[in-house]
Amino acid sequence: MFTLITRRLIQLIPTIFFVSVLIFLLQQLLPGDPALVMAGEEKDPEVIEQIRKRYRLDQPLPIQYLAWIGGVFQGDLGESMRLSEPVSTLVAQKLPVTIQLAVMAMIFTLGIGIPAGIISAVKKDTAWDYVVNVVALWGISTPNFWLGIMLIFLFSVQLGWLPASGYVSPFEDFWASMAATIMPAFVLGNSFAGVIMRHTRAAMLQVMESDYVRTARAKGLDERTVILKHGLRNALTPVITLGALEFGTLLSGAVLTEQIFSIPGFGKLIVDAVFNRDYAVVQGVVLVTATTYIVLNLLADIGYILANPRLRT
Amino acid sequence: MTTLRRTLTWTASAFLLAASLTGAAAQQSVLRIGLAEDPDVLDPTRGRTYVGRIVFASICDKLFDIDDKLNIVPQLALSHETSADGLTVTIKLRPGVKFHDGEAMDAEAVRFSLDRHMNMQGSFRRPELSAIDKVEVVDPLTVRLVLKQPFSPLLSQLTDRAGMMVSPKAARELGERFGSTPVCAGPYRFVERVQQDRIVVERFADYWNKDQVTIGRIEYRPIADATVRLANLRSGQLDLIERALATDIPQIRTNAQLRMAVGVDLGYQGVTLNLAKSDAGRQSFGRDPRIIQAFSLAIDRQALNQVVFNGSAMPGNQWINPQNPYYQSRFPVPQRDVARARQLMQAAGVTGPLAIDFMVPNNPEVRQIAEVLQAMTAEAGFDLKIRVTEFATSLQEAEQGRYQAYMLNWSGRTDPDGNLFSFHGCRQPLNYSGYCNPAADALLNEARTKTDPAARKAIYEKLTEILLAEGGIVYLYHRPVVIVHSARLEGFQALPDGLVRVVGLKFRGN
Amino acid sequence: MALTSTGVGAPVRETFESPGARAWRRLKKRRTAMVALVLLVLLALLAIFAPFIATHDPTQQSWRAVRQAPSLAHWFGSDEVGRDIFSRVVYGTRASLSAGVISVAIAIVAGVPLGLLAGYVGGWTDALISRVTDAMLACPFLILAIALAAFLGPSLQNAMIAIGITATPVFVRLTRGQVLSIKTEDYVEAARAVGNTKIRIALRHILPNVMPQLLVQGTLTIATAIIAEASLSFLGLGQQPPAPSWGSMLNVAQRFLSNAPWMAIFPGIAIFITVLSFNLFGDGLRDALDPKAK
């Protein structure tokens, strides 16, 4: 087991290296000259030259990459061209927002996904199964942005119950913060509920066929106890580890949701940066998200290994 | 026991504190403004965006401002005088003005700020002030600008970012980081900024015109989606929004809680045609000016206005809108004439549909316009192939001439020269069409030296004739600038540049 | 660690009933999957026979009838330049279905050989392929797709390529995991002992056993790909005007939400029905192909 975990830890390094190369190259492939975009209407050849020099756009790619990665090792993610702010500052500003959104979304994901999975497994091939299936798959089957628009239309424009957009920190005003983030969190969480439902369902089906559940049934325990106490507890382990994995996906899945609700998190930062060709921001933010994802992935794997005695070799 | 008493005392004082805070909050009002985009760096020397100018309007006063008729009026300056030969401009400054850090806004500071605009690395103000040779301090409240040659648009440059004065002390200390905590002499001082979330400014107690400033704090919040921006205004999350959609005007009108100001954009929306930027241009619109005229005649500007803007835009055919004092009424907006357009195409030797690579920036409204243009010009023998291109890419494509027609919008400047010179002058930075006519160039330069508006207008008349016949831009219309605010807010004055002046605003009942 | 799939583990073993027939029998039992299948067939027919079903030319503008509410003349209303939304939704089926199917085909064609290679050859080849796969999976899906679509230039075709490339790692990982679990099975060992070449073993013995999983994953990925296409079109990086796609219709509709909500509602419902059908069908397929289930 120990060697297995060590091996996974070692694998982390090349993976993160490839991430850094991948995003760097992808960026360079993008058409459009960042200096031109930055200057916009104030296009002045001399200033454009100055920008190119300042951000090393006039140097060969390998040099640019080494300069960037060298900075990363010293904790310097570079500087946003558009905002003239260090990328690390931006990341520090946005990360709490995205984490809050992801945590709230996770509550929706698990709150919808797990019950749906249980019902779907226990009541397999009945009307209950079908209804619950459609409900849980609803989120995965609608584009986030559309659901977001529709919710804004209903709850903000028509009913006026919730703010249409914007963000308030929970430390500033807790309830205002909840009001501002509940719709985006629902939209985001909803879109992953289907995945969790599938996993829960598969795990439950497997567990329900297992010997100890049969034994529990044979002991004459009532069905509810069998399902919740014996079935669910065993089925939940892989689901929770998968949940951790999905949390990583949530962090990056917020891209369009944040855009629609004007939530100033990672997603909005990165989409704007891609369209503005703000290289340092794209690189920095993707690197941070990808690393988070990889680490969560690793933790999920370790959890999975620990939960599965058979794999402990 | 002691602990309990202490706790009680603490709780009581916390309550009292909370009560006094809420009391203060009731008096000190906050104005929340919804912006269409997140501004770029808040340094007047390095700022580039329109939306940034909206925020500058509250933190950085300028030497001059414009009024609702586009006249230049003093702000930090008191008066100005241009010498007879047009080579020196003497500016008298308003006495007793202070920067947010308490430093005096005097002639020395003006010289410092202008020098910074002209010389700082990465300054975008350099071309705007290129006519200035040097800035001299005459006395603590007088500066003299010595020009290389007469330059009529100079004063209007000083009504915008180039005229914003920054505290020399702060600028020296902060250097490049000045934009993260700007220190100017405007009615509000910068408090904090959370990127893409909000910019907060508070009332500056020592402002020279402080009696007119009653609102304690302003929060600028970028919300890209216009529908969402409006929804926030309606639900009371915002007090004022800029750039509301023209199509929402009818429903805003019927809402008793809202007030609206509709102005006409200082800029224009037009189609830039590649004439000589590359072979792609020389083989299409560059072949014969009659193709340009046919293109313009094929467009029904009224119908376009109806479809896209519910009739709230102003159709146009020149680089300034028909309300502008420099508009040449001898050349009115043409009526659509498909028959004539076809004749012109024939005369130009075009047989069969003329395929045009039509580059359209990726924006739903602009795409809608492009689709309507596609349908309209098809009747005159054009086959516009719409190529939606990301804005960032489109700039480079235009720069390299990889297009034949390009949907490009210009946000506009107060002086007509700002809408004109760089677009039609030979090899100027914004001349994407590649148009170059020495006669037109001479007129462009001559107009810059005339300080008398009538003389300038006469030169522009000749220029208009040339450019409408063969220039590289077909002008379509001028957008409505729709600013909507809550009925609680009073004293809002719409100005032609569409920026939000915060001096004089107050909440009803305050 | 292949966590992408659950349920199916061991290879499908021969019984007296052929695997295909058995799967079909089981699939028929699952009603949601059958309803989904019928819907998918109907959608395919809609796409093929769009010209006969649409009531209007989907690109015909009518400037006197912009943003009209649903009526007998325009069942789903008209859009911002007066085009018939019903007809555009019908034609949009083509863009969405082909975006889903073609991008997944690209992902399979690219991903399966790489997965076979990684799983079968092992060593450095495996390490390289796996790490790059991990790296791609770690980057936000939509950001990769946006960047690729922007690089290739906005068009439906390029959006498909971008989505296909972005979805490839899923198939690499899936195939590799399956190969690893099958590689040591007796019949593969036997084939090797008889002297079959590696390629032959991979194609004849391993690939068929990966097929059920691929089918399930493929169907579910089509669902994701359709959403991705809609998202790219929503950002203006997909289908180009005037040709209709549901995502680009939503992109436009966003501006008119409060005064023409039908512009957003109908294309959204179309996406929902299509994607839900693929999801339900994929789930049914997974159940039907699960060798462990009864």
Side-chain angles (χ1 to χ4, degrees):
Chain A
M1 177 179 66
F2 186 69
T3 45
L4 193 60
I5 292 173
T6 322
R7 212 172 69 209
R8 300 281 298 141
L9 274 172
I10 293 169
Q11 282 173 0
L12 216 68
I13 297 160
T15 309
I16 294 176
F17 167 73
F18 279 122
V19 168
S20 76
V21 174
L22 190 73
I23 48 179
F24 189 82
L25 283 182
L26 208 59
Q27 285 249 64
Q28 305 299 330
L29 287 178
L30 288 179
D33 179 341
L36 276 183
V37 182
M38 185 183 166
E41 289 196 338
E42 310 296 334
K43 202 177 140 213
D44 175 36
E46 196 169 310
V47 182
I48 286 173
E49 260 333 290
Q50 289 176 357
I51 298 173
R52 289 212 177 98
K53 246 206 185 78
R54 187 193 155 98
Y55 293 96
R56 294 207 189 82
L57 298 169
D58 52 350
Q59 292 179 6
L61 272 191
I63 305 273
Q64 286 189 45
Y65 176 78
L66 287 178
W68 172 62
I69 206 80
V72 170
F73 277 116
Q74 291 160 27
D76 174 15
L77 291 173
E79 184 191 272
S80 159
M81 286 178 65
R82 193 181 126 77
L83 301 162
S84 294
E85 290 278 341
V87 176
S88 44
T89 311
L90 296 176
V91 168
Q93 271 181 3
K94 311 287 170 201
L95 194 60
V97 180
T98 298
I99 287 181
Q100 185 196 347
L101 192 64
V103 168
M104 288 178 64
M106 203 70 217
I107 295 170
F108 281 110
T109 303
L110 299 178
I112 299 170
I114 292 181
I118 297 170
I119 295 171
S120 173
V122 174
K123 309 261 180 199
K124 192 166 183 272
D125 292 326
T126 66
W128 274 102
D129 176 13
Y130 300 147
V131 170
V132 153
N133 244 288
V134 172
V135 169
L137 288 174
W138 177 53
I140 216 177
S141 304
T142 37
N144 280 358
F145 60 87
W146 184 73
L147 189 58
I149 293 173
M150 288 292 128
L151 289 181
I152 290 177
F153 179 61
L154 184 63
F155 289 105
S156 304
V157 178
Q158 295 296 329
L159 299 171
W161 290 353
L162 291 168
S165 77
Y167 173 75
V168 183
S169 161
F171 302 108
E172 222 170 87
D173 181 341
F174 183 78
W175 293 112
S177 177
M178 290 299 119
T181 42
I182 190 126
M183 281 200 291
F186 174 74
V187 169
L188 191 56
N190 200 17
S191 64
F192 287 97
V195 181
I196 291 295
M197 182 272 286
R198 278 179 188 147
H199 291 309
T200 313
R201 181 170 184 270
M204 276 301 279
L205 283 177
Q206 212 172 357
V207 171
M208 295 305 280
E209 296 295 317
S210 68
D211 293 338
Y212 54 86
V213 168
R214 273 191 209 132
T215 323
R217 272 207 188 108
K219 272 196 271 178
L221 294 174
D222 76 306
E223 192 65 15
R224 181 183 292 261
T225 320
V226 172
I227 293 166
L228 293 182
K229 225 173 146 192
H230 297 265
L232 187 59
R233 188 192 288 166
N234 289 293
L236 226 47
T237 327
V239 174
I240 295 293
T241 41
L242 282 162
L245 235 178
E246 289 303 326
F247 189 80
T249 324
L250 272 179
L251 280 180
S252 60
V255 169
L256 277 182
T257 313
E258 287 185 1
Q259 194 81 0
I260 294 295
F261 288 96
S262 297
I263 300 279
F266 265 24
K268 194 162 160 41
L269 184 67
I270 200 174
V271 171
D272 288 358
V274 169
F275 285 121
N276 283 315
R277 301 290 187 270
D278 201 340
Y279 286 178
V281 174
V282 180
Q283 284 163 194
V285 177
V286 173
L287 191 68
V288 172
T289 345
T291 310
T292 316
Y293 177 85
I294 292 168
V295 169
L296 282 171
N297 205 329
L298 176 75
L299 292 179
D301 274 8
I302 293 174
Y304 200 73
I305 294 166
L306 293 179
N308 267 306
R310 279 178 299 139
L311 289 171
R312 292 190 199 170
T313 41
Chain B
M1 194 58 203
T2 1
T3 0
L4 179 64
R5 193 180 300 149
R6 199 177 292 153
T7 319
L8 280 176
T9 329
W10 268 108
T11 323
S13 46
F15 266 114
L16 281 176
L17 185 67
S20 63
L21 278 178
T22 28
Q27 288 163 7
Q28 175 203 59
S29 44
V30 181
L31 171 65
R32 294 152 306 169
I33 297 180
L35 303 175
E37 297 132 31
D38 190 34
D40 59 329
V41 59
L42 292 178
D43 180 338
T45 304
R46 297 165 67 206
R48 322 169 281 283
T49 56
Y50 175 78
V51 70
R53 292 161 65 195
I54 299 180
V55 178
F56 283 133
S58 72
I59 52 178
C60 295
D61 267 11
K62 307 157 290 188
L63 289 174
F64 299 94
D65 200 0
I66 50 164
D67 67 7
D68 55 343
K69 300 272 184 307
L70 275 176
N71 296 312
I72 293 172
V73 294
Q75 195 171 43
L76 290 176
L78 273 184
S79 64
H80 68 91
E81 202 185 311
T82 308
S83 65
D85 59 3
L87 283 173
T88 52
V89 179
T90 311
I91 300 173
K92 287 256 180 231
L93 300 173
R94 188 177 293 278
V97 176
K98 281 199 162 56
F99 288 111
H100 298 150
D101 58 358
E103 295 287 299
M105 205 298 293
D106 56 11
E108 199 48 58
V110 170
R111 186 176 68 175
F112 176 86
S113 295
L114 290 176
D115 278 350
R116 186 173 187 265
H117 287 322
M118 290 187 289
N119 301 324
M120 186 179 165
Q121 276 275 312
S123 165
F124 285 102
R125 304 286 85 80
R126 212 184 48 93
E128 294 164 17
L129 299 176
S130 59
I132 299 180
D133 182 35
K134 58 178 188 272
V135 183
E136 292 170 351
V137 174
V138 179
D139 64 48
L141 289 175
T142 313
V143 283
R144 187 186 297 133
L145 313 183
V146 180
L147 309 188
K148 295 170 192 155
Q149 67 269 336
F151 188 63
S152 52
L154 180 66
L155 279 185
S156 75
Q157 304 287 19
L158 298 178
T159 66
D160 199 346
R161 286 164 297 200
M164 290 178 190
M165 298 296 116
V166 301
S167 157
K169 183 166 163 260
R172 279 197 197 101
E173 275 168 16
L174 293 165
E176 290 224 312
R177 310 276 306 136
F178 182 80
S180 53
T181 40
V183 181
C184 296
Y188 287 81
R189 54 191 287 167
F190 177 85
V191 176
E192 64 156 345
R193 172 176 195 178
V194 179
Q195 309 293 344
Q196 295 175 314
D197 185 30
R198 61 177 185 268
I199 293 167
V200 183
V201 298
E202 68 180 13
R203 187 168 177 266
F204 174 44
D206 287 334
Y207 183 55
W208 59 271
N209 193 12
K210 58 175 176 283
D211 298 342
Q212 289 295 306
V213 185
T214 54
I215 296 172
R217 245 171 135 79
I218 303 177
E219 281 183 30
Y220 294 92
R221 292 187 165 270
I223 297 170
D225 189 302
T227 311
V228 175
R229 215 156 51 240
L230 181 60
N232 271 315
L233 178 68
R234 283 165 57 173
S235 62
Q237 250 83 39
L238 294 174
D239 306 301
L240 185 149
I241 60 171
E242 57 123 355
R243 281 181 274 176
L245 291 174
T247 39
D248 285 333
I249 290 177
Q251 57 152 319
I252 294 168
R253 262 205 192 107
T254 58
N255 189 330
Q257 307 298 313
L258 303 178
R259 297 286 177 274
M260 178 174 52
V262 185
V264 187
D265 184 12
L266 277 179
Y268 58 81
Q269 178 77 59
V271 182
T272 300
L273 308 176
N274 185 346
L275 304 181
K277 191 84 177 168
S278 66
D279 283 341
R282 284 177 213 110
Q283 286 152 10
S284 55
F285 288 103
R287 254 162 61 184
D288 192 315
R290 282 171 294 196
I291 303 179
I292 306 171
Q293 295 155 22
F295 187 79
S296 179
L297 281 172
I299 298 165
D300 185 339
R301 290 168 171 82
Q302 275 304 342
L304 187 67
N305 182 17
Q306 283 303 329
V307 171
V308 184
F309 296 100
N310 276 359
S312 63
M314 185 177 280
N317 64 327
Q318 297 173 24
W319 46 93
I320 38 178
N321 69 53
Q323 288 177 348
N324 192 291
Y326 283 100
Y327 185 80
Q328 305 290 335
S329 44
R330 224 189 90 200
F331 305 97
V333 179
Q335 292 296 311
R336 187 183 198 211
D337 190 341
V338 178
R340 174 103 185 94
R342 282 220 187 96
Q343 279 172 16
L344 286 167
M345 291 288 271
Q346 242 164 20
V350 180
T351 48
L354 181 63
I356 296 292
D357 173 23
F358 188 19
M359 184 163 71
V360 178
N362 181 7
N363 159 314
E365 185 182 282
V366 174
R367 276 199 345 217
Q368 182 187 357
I369 297 159
E371 287 179 70
V372 176
L373 288 182
Q374 185 182 42
M376 283 173 174
T377 54
E379 291 174 43
F382 291 93
D383 177 15
L384 298 189
K385 309 254 189 240
I386 295 178
R387 175 162 60 97
V388 176
T389 313
E390 255 193 297
F391 185 66
T393 312
S394 77
L395 287 176
Q396 196 181 27
E397 297 276 290
E399 180 76 15
Q400 297 173 346
R402 281 196 297 263
Y403 78 100
Q404 287 172 319
Y406 179 26
M407 196 81 191
L408 187 63
N409 148 66
W410 176 245
S411 75
R413 298 292 179 266
T414 47
D415 192 277
D417 183 77
N419 289 5
L420 185 58
F421 191 87
S422 187
F423 297 89
H424 296 288
C426 293
R427 287 171 297 280
Q428 286 299 314
L430 295 168
N431 186 342
Y432 292 115
S433 73
Y435 175 72
C436 184
N437 178 345
D441 235 30
L443 289 168
L444 280 169
N445 282 307
E446 194 189 346
R448 281 186 152 190
T449 62
K450 297 283 185 228
T451 31
D452 172 32
R456 248 178 113 183
K457 194 170 174 180
I459 297 169
Y460 282 149
E461 185 175 351
K462 289 183 229 162
L463 197 58
T464 310
E465 184 158 17
I466 300 176
L467 291 182
L468 288 191
E470 57 167 46
I473 300 176
V474 169
Y475 300 93
L476 299 176
Y477 59 84
H478 308 275
R479 235 177 242 268
V481 180
V482 189
I483 290 180
V484 194
H485 60 86
S486 139
R488 282 174 53 236
L489 190 69
E490 291 175 341
F492 178 77
Q493 197 199 1
L495 286 180
D497 56 13
L499 307 182
V500 182
R501 305 295 193 284
V502 291
V503 173
L505 286 181
K506 60 178 184 198
F507 283 111
R508 195 192 298 154
N510 262 26
Chain C
M1 185 84 8
L3 292 179
T4 33
S5 61
T6 4
V8 195
V12 182
R13 296 234 167 70
E14 289 290 321
T15 52
F16 54 89
E17 188 184 17
S18 83
R22 193 179 66 145
W24 175 241
R25 177 174 55 78
R26 287 211 208 134
L27 189 65
K28 274 195 296 190
K29 254 177 49 190
R30 192 147 178 90
R31 245 173 267 160
T32 43
M34 291 313 289
V35 173
L37 183 61
V38 171
L39 281 174
L40 289 178
V41 171
L42 285 178
L43 282 166
L45 291 175
L46 204 61
I48 295 165
F49 297 106
F52 303 100
I53 298 160
T55 51
H56 294 68
D57 175 348
T59 59
Q60 181 62 50
Q61 304 182 2
S62 167
W63 304 322
R64 272 174 210 86
V66 292
R67 300 193 306 275
Q68 301 224 320
S71 64
L72 278 178
H74 296 289
W75 298 347
F76 290 179
S78 70
D79 74 359
E80 82 285 4
V81 287
R83 291 172 300 210
D84 180 56
I85 293 180
F86 173 73
S87 307
R88 288 179 73 74
V89 168
V90 169
Y91 272 89
T93 318
R94 291 182 166 181
S96 283
L97 285 188
S98 51
V101 174
I102 295 173
S103 53
V104 169
I106 293 172
I108 288 179
V109 166
V112 172
L114 283 174
L116 282 176
L117 194 68
Y120 204 75
V121 178
W124 276 105
T125 319
D126 180 25
L128 185 69
I129 294 175
S130 296
R131 293 297 79 74
V132 173
T133 305
D134 286 351
M136 279 181 78
L137 281 170
C139 295
F141 180 84
L142 199 58
I143 292 300
L144 279 186
I146 290 173
L148 278 169
F151 161 57
L152 297 164
S155 78
L156 182 61
Q157 195 188 335
N158 289 340
M160 290 179 199
I161 298 174
I163 297 167
I165 295 175
T166 321
T168 302
V170 175
F171 291 95
V172 176
R173 202 182 253 202
L174 177 76
T175 313
R176 176 180 172 273
Q178 285 298 298
V179 173
L180 286 184
S181 68
I182 296 167
K183 205 158 97 169
T184 50
E185 295 280 332
D186 297 343
Y187 64 100
V188 177
E189 294 286 351
R192 193 179 298 145
V194 179
N196 280 313
T197 60
K198 280 187 174 179
I199 295 174
R200 197 182 158 82
I201 294 171
L203 294 181
R204 291 289 293 275
H205 299 278
I206 293 180
L207 194 58
N209 281 294
V210 184
M211 280 312 280
Q213 282 261 17
L214 279 179
L215 211 59
V216 173
Q217 189 63 47
T219 313
L220 296 177
T221 310
I222 290 178
T224 321
I226 292 176
I227 298 268
E229 187 276 332
S231 304
L232 286 182
S233 291
F234 180 70
L235 291 171
L237 296 171
Q239 179 79 297
Q240 292 308 301
S245 111
W246 298 336
S248 55
M249 291 171 78
L250 288 179
N251 177 7
V252 175
Q254 203 191 353
R255 280 192 302 141
F256 304 104
L257 199 57
S258 44
N259 49 42
W262 53 88
M263 284 174 64
I265 291 171
F266 293 106
I269 291 176
I271 295 178
F272 173 62
I273 292 174
T274 312
V275 178
L276 183 69
S277 300
F278 274 108
N279 272 319
L280 287 173
F281 183 68
D283 280 354
L285 213 54
R286 189 201 295 276
D287 272 10
L289 292 171
D290 184 353
K292 276 179 297 190
K294 283 172 289 191

